[in-house]
Amino acid sequence: SGDVPLGQGAGNLRYDIPMLRCIWNVSWPSMVDIMGLWSVHAVGVYFISRMGAGMLGAHTMVIRLESVSFMPGFAVGMAASTLTGQYLGAKNPEMAKKAVRLCWLFAIVAMGGTGLLVSIFNTEFLALFGDPSSEQLQIAAPVIRVVGLMQAVNATMMVMKMSMRGAGDTRTVTVYSFISMGLIRVGLLWALMKWFDLSLLGIWLVMMVDVVVQCIIFVKLHLKGDWLKREV
């Protein structure tokens, strides 16, 4: 407003230390979670790269095709996170719970439906990335057939985790994610590759076990409801 003297609002530009501390307490577990997730992916790529020619290329094909179903699920998960924060901020935990469960349904339909199409028409979709008769495509086809069928489970895990982040319960998400990924995607996978001759499908099955375990954990945490009482 033109009636406000010059420099009168300068005091509002000072750092709000309590607010910054609150933001940091919520955000640093998510930062660690994302760094750990990509570190675990890097370990998986290292294991696969040692399996022989063509395996890493086939793995990349599977990831690219899986992302077709992954993207809508991630978008719905972001909606669940946002709605959770808004409703809990409005002191309405019941609507927060309803919003998350509606997003959960949408994610299952979107990711599960897309994953089913990818699973059924796996060779047709993979042909977009290369010669259908190539060795890499032949290796990737049975993998994406299984991975596509698991996308509804993946959708559940994503929405549950992202809604808890929206509630500010980022530490719980990080702890359980790290435990599951560390034990299964690193520990179990390393042990199985050391003692058995795993195929690319075998490696992906181990990773899907991690998805199922995390899905069960975060659904139980969602139903328990402690995330609705989280104060940021």
Side-chain angles (χ1 to χ4, degrees):
S1 171
D3 298 330
V4 178
L6 184 64
Q8 183 172 329
N12 295 327
L13 299 178
R14 291 177 298 180
Y15 287 111
D16 188 338
I17 300 302
M19 178 61 70
L20 289 175
R21 187 180 297 113
C22 179
I23 293 172
W24 171 250
N25 288 337
V26 173
S27 62
W28 76 258
S30 290
M31 178 185 70
V32 174
D33 188 16
I34 296 301
M35 291 173 62
L37 176 64
W38 286 109
S39 298
V40 169
H41 282 322
V43 172
V45 170
Y46 170 75
F47 286 150
I48 293 170
S49 66
R50 295 170 62 87
M51 294 176 63
M55 289 296 181
L56 191 56
H59 175 70
T60 303
M61 284 184 175
V62 175
I63 291 177
R64 288 179 177 175
L65 193 49
E66 184 195 24
S67 67
V68 174
S69 64
F70 187 88
M71 288 186 290
F74 184 81
V76 176
M78 286 297 296
S81 176
T82 302
L83 290 171
T84 298
Q86 289 180 339
Y87 281 123
L88 291 182
K91 308 298 182 182
N92 194 339
E94 188 61 31
M95 281 303 299
K97 182 167 62 176
K98 289 181 179 179
V100 171
R101 293 183 181 179
L102 183 60
C103 290
W104 182 8
L105 176 61
F106 285 161
I108 288 176
V109 172
M111 279 187 71
T114 307
L116 183 62
L117 289 175
V118 169
S119 178
I120 294 173
F121 301 104
N122 56 87
T123 53
E124 288 81 0
F125 280 107
L126 286 170
L128 299 172
F129 303 119
D131 183 2
S133 62
S134 67
E135 181 183 1
Q136 290 182 343
L137 194 143
Q138 297 303 317
I139 295 172
V143 179
I144 198 62
R145 193 178 300 129
V146 174
V147 171
L149 295 176
M150 294 295 296
Q151 292 310 296
V153 180
N154 207 352
T156 298
M157 180 194 72
M158 289 173 58
V159 170
M160 295 297 104
K161 291 173 71 171
M162 295 176 76
S163 62
M164 289 180 65
R165 291 192 185 108
D169 200 1
T170 52
R171 295 189 185 187
T172 300
V173 175
T174 300
V175 168
Y176 282 105
S177 295
F178 260 62
I179 292 174
S180 181
M181 288 189 299
L183 291 177
I184 299 174
R185 295 201 184 204
V186 178
L188 179 61
L189 185 56
W190 174 82
L192 290 175
M193 291 197 69
K194 182 177 180 180
W195 298 107
F196 300 96
D197 186 19
L198 284 186
S199 64
L200 183 63
L201 176 58
I203 291 177
W204 272 89
L205 286 175
V206 173
M207 292 193 289
M208 290 300 103
V209 168
D210 172 53
V211 171
V212 172
V213 169
Q214 289 198 52
C215 175
I216 294 172
I217 289 172
F218 287 106
V219 167
K220 285 187 175 181
L221 290 173
H222 170 84
L223 296 176
K224 187 178 179 182
D226 288 348
W227 59 280
L228 293 168
K229 306 168 188 175
R230 179 73 179 179
E231 293 188 5
V232 178

